[in-house]
Amino acid sequence: MCYAIPGRVIELNGKFAVVDYFGEHRNVFNEFEGLKVGDYVYAQGGIIVQKISEDDALIILKEWKQLFFELKEVDSAISVMDENTFDKILSNAEQGLENEEALRLLKLSNKNEMDLLFKTANKLRQKRLKNSCCIHGIIEFSNYCRNNCFYCGIRCENKQLQRYRMTVEEIVVLADYSVNKLGFKALVLQSGEDMWYTTEKLVEIIKRIKEKCGVLLFMSVGTRSFECYTAMHEAGARGVLLRFETSNPKLYEKIHFGPKSDFKYRIALLKHIKKLGYIIATGALIGLPGQTETDLLNDILLAKSLEADMYSFGPFIPHPKTPFSGAEIVDINIVLKVLSVARLLNPDAKLLVTTALETLDVDGRRLGLLSGANSLMINITPLEYKNLYEIYPNRAGSDVETAVKNTLNLLYSLGRAPTDLGL
Ligand code: SAH
């Protein structure tokens, strides 16, 4: 099984290459010595992660060829819209949407207008990025956390939660299985702020995975030191998932608690990480108590100013064992509006549908993908641990094989293909 389509290198420019997918071209970053024009590769997040033999590539491409063009047709048909209706917004978006207009869109409450917004964002996604969709696997390797954030179920003061920690060996074996048996090309390793995993241990995990797997590795381990992020990059990690949670510093200081965890440090760290050359995935929680539409607009603008490579915006879901247990559950339309406005403000963004959206609404992933998003996560944490990684309650999910099957069915029904989105 395969969650990425291989492409053929058709041009090399120093550290960059152009990869062809059935006639569509993407610019990517290359770290492989001796890469040649004509080689076949897998790219993820705009980085070449694996070379594959021509024989193997041709077999896979043959299987994909017909489906690839069929999927494009399905995507175009779904993305069709009455060109006159939201034409103005669409053309404004392509020239750069004004903040006031974006705020007006975030405040829409009329169902027809919201639907038009979602369709416009989907149309823009289809126009600019075609039907590419990246699929990342996420391994939640520890639910220990030294932080005590008001929104999060694994906060250290939740003494009722049974804690777990996967060993270095367990993580490496699961990553190996996920990449080399299940076919994942991008993995996110996530945990609470668990200092049991020292920089040395994280480096060991990364190095051992990179030795065995052609994979884009994202680390999501919170506010570690600058040195830790430098060391993880040297070891071979190329992505970081670190949300700023909210762009409103006052709101942040009211909800986020932990050592080395203030707003300023988090933003400085994100900038440092970007400078190191990582792909960064960042964003905010949607529906926090006290959050306004202006905050949400500023969240999108902050992600943009941090030059996020991926936008990770998802609903806040109240957890019963937190101070926010009684908070109101956010309306899914607010989440979809944020995704759509993020797409309009950043037409070429990689926009993620989070697993929390799936928990908020069983149809959340499909609706997210139809509102401008083009990237998905599949949870591959072993079932015995998945339920304990209770950042929010009732986490959606099944065994990984079922999750993969459901995800691929969903993507095919929407006409999306796992070609890399490029840089
Ligand atoms: N320690 C890591 C990973 C934290 S968990 C870090 O700080 O980056 C990953 C994400 O889960 C958080 O960034 C937060 O946005 C999200 N999360 C936490 N509690 C949540 C809740 N109740 N509802 C939805 N998402 C939540």
Side-chain angles (χ1 to χ4, degrees):
M1 210 182 292
C2 140
Y3 315 120
I5 298 181
R8 184 168 174 271
V9 177
I10 55 166
E11 215 179 294
L12 285 168
N13 311 305
K15 278 273 170 214
F16 295 91
V18 179
V19 176
D20 170 271
Y21 300 94
F22 300 114
E24 282 180 14
H25 298 164
R26 305 277 196 281
N27 290 316
V28 293
F29 188 71
N30 170 45
E31 295 183 312
F32 281 89
E33 299 266 322
L35 187 80
K36 297 186 302 298
V37 167
D39 283 349
Y40 285 86
V41 295
Y42 281 110
Q44 278 290 296
I47 299 182
I48 296 178
V49 293
Q50 196 183 14
K51 284 208 271 187
I52 75 161
S53 74
E54 180 169 0
D55 289 349
D56 288 346
L58 291 178
I59 293 169
I60 299 169
L61 287 172
K62 197 170 161 220
E63 284 170 10
W64 265 105
K65 191 167 182 185
Q66 193 184 348
L67 181 60
F68 179 77
F69 289 102
E70 282 169 10
L71 290 175
K72 285 178 84 69
E73 277 179 27
V74 172
D75 182 36
S76 303
I78 291 176
S79 308
V80 138
M81 65 181 294
D82 175 357
E83 293 293 339
N84 295 322
T85 39
F86 251 31
D87 230 17
K88 194 164 147 273
I89 293 183
L90 190 58
S91 67
N92 279 355
E94 293 207 287
Q95 289 150 23
L97 193 70
E98 292 294 329
N99 291 349
E100 271 167 40
E101 180 71 343
L103 188 59
R104 191 183 73 76
L105 296 174
L106 285 169
K107 288 183 174 169
L108 289 181
S109 57
N110 175 289
K111 174 132 186 18
N112 291 341
E113 286 185 343
M114 286 194 292
D115 280 348
L116 277 174
L117 169 64
F118 305 151
K119 281 193 181 143
T120 307
N122 186 42
K123 176 76 195 166
L124 188 59
R125 185 271 316 150
Q126 189 258 346
K127 200 168 162 190
R128 296 288 277 253
L129 299 159
K130 314 276 187 314
N131 67 338
S132 287
C133 188
C134 41
I135 305 176
H136 296 188
I138 180 164
I139 300 175
E140 297 150 340
F141 62 91
S142 162
N143 69 352
Y144 280 86
C145 191
R146 64 175 175 175
N147 286 1
N148 204 22
C149 306
F150 273 24
Y151 50 85
C152 186
I154 65 170
R155 65 202 303 265
C156 61
E157 257 179 37
N158 181 3
K159 304 284 186 223
Q160 274 143 302
L161 182 66
Q162 185 191 329
R163 304 280 169 169
Y164 73 91
R165 219 174 238 144
M166 287 172 69
T167 63
V168 171
E169 182 67 19
E170 263 181 300
I171 300 169
V172 174
V173 167
L174 179 58
D176 183 22
Y177 175 75
S178 308
V179 175
N180 294 321
K181 290 283 184 314
L182 296 177
F184 282 92
K185 300 289 174 209
L187 291 182
V188 180
L189 302 186
Q190 188 176 88
S191 67
E193 308 251 345
D194 183 359
M195 297 301 126
W196 183 84
Y197 301 91
T198 56
T199 299
E200 291 66 36
K201 279 206 182 86
L202 293 173
V203 162
E204 185 192 341
I205 294 168
I206 295 165
K207 279 194 177 154
R208 286 184 54 191
I209 294 177
K210 289 297 290 181
E211 267 162 29
K212 288 172 186 271
C213 311
V215 65
L216 171 62
L217 258 192
F218 276 83
M219 301 305 287
S220 182
V221 290
T223 43
R224 300 282 178 136
S225 63
F226 281 29
E227 295 74 30
C228 176
Y229 277 97
T230 306
M232 292 195 294
H233 192 268
E234 279 165 9
R238 287 292 174 268
V240 167
L241 167 57
L242 181 70
R243 285 175 166 177
F244 47 79
E245 313 294 3
T246 169
S247 59
N248 179 336
K250 285 208 178 98
L251 182 57
Y252 181 97
E253 304 302 350
K254 275 190 203 153
I255 61 170
H256 195 93
F257 298 96
K260 253 198 157 195
S261 212
D262 60 88
F263 185 72
K264 260 197 181 147
Y265 182 74
R266 209 163 174 102
I267 299 296
L269 182 60
L270 277 163
K271 288 182 181 163
H272 171 73
I273 289 168
K274 179 79 192 176
K275 252 199 226 132
L276 287 173
Y278 279 106
I279 290 179
I280 62 168
T282 191
L285 285 161
I286 305 168
L288 287 165
Q291 193 178 40
T292 64
E293 280 102 352
T294 305
D295 289 331
L296 292 172
L297 173 62
N298 287 334
D299 291 343
I300 301 169
L301 296 175
L302 179 57
K304 192 173 178 178
S305 78
L306 290 167
E307 296 173 73
D309 301 280
M310 291 187 82
Y311 288 65
S312 169
F313 285 81
F316 159 63
I317 301 176
H319 186 289
K321 298 286 182 298
T322 63
F324 281 163
S325 58
E328 206 176 305
I329 295 178
V330 64
D331 179 345
I332 186 167
N333 286 318
I334 298 181
V335 184
L336 300 177
K337 280 191 285 182
V338 170
L339 292 177
S340 291
V341 172
R343 166 64 61 216
L344 297 186
L345 285 170
N346 311 278
D348 296 324
K350 298 176 180 89
L351 243 172
L352 200 70
V353 176
T354 62
T355 39
L357 187 56
E358 218 181 323
T359 302
L360 184 69
D361 187 310
V362 279
D363 208 19
R365 296 211 296 180
R366 195 179 66 82
L367 295 172
L369 288 170
L370 289 175
S371 301
N374 57 352
S375 187
L376 280 182
M377 293 253 187
I378 296 182
N379 194 321
I380 48 183
T381 309
L383 273 181
E384 68 212 274
Y385 301 134
K386 196 187 309 190
N387 293 331
L388 299 175
Y389 196 77
E390 210 189 33
I391 46 181
Y392 49 84
N394 308 319
R395 302 186 66 222
S398 48
D399 63 276
V400 61
E401 285 76 13
T402 312
V404 164
K405 205 173 86 210
N406 292 344
T407 305
L408 292 179
N409 284 341
L410 172 68
L411 290 184
Y412 295 167
S413 74
L414 296 178
R416 306 293 172 94
T419 48
D420 182 44
L421 284 153
L423 287 174

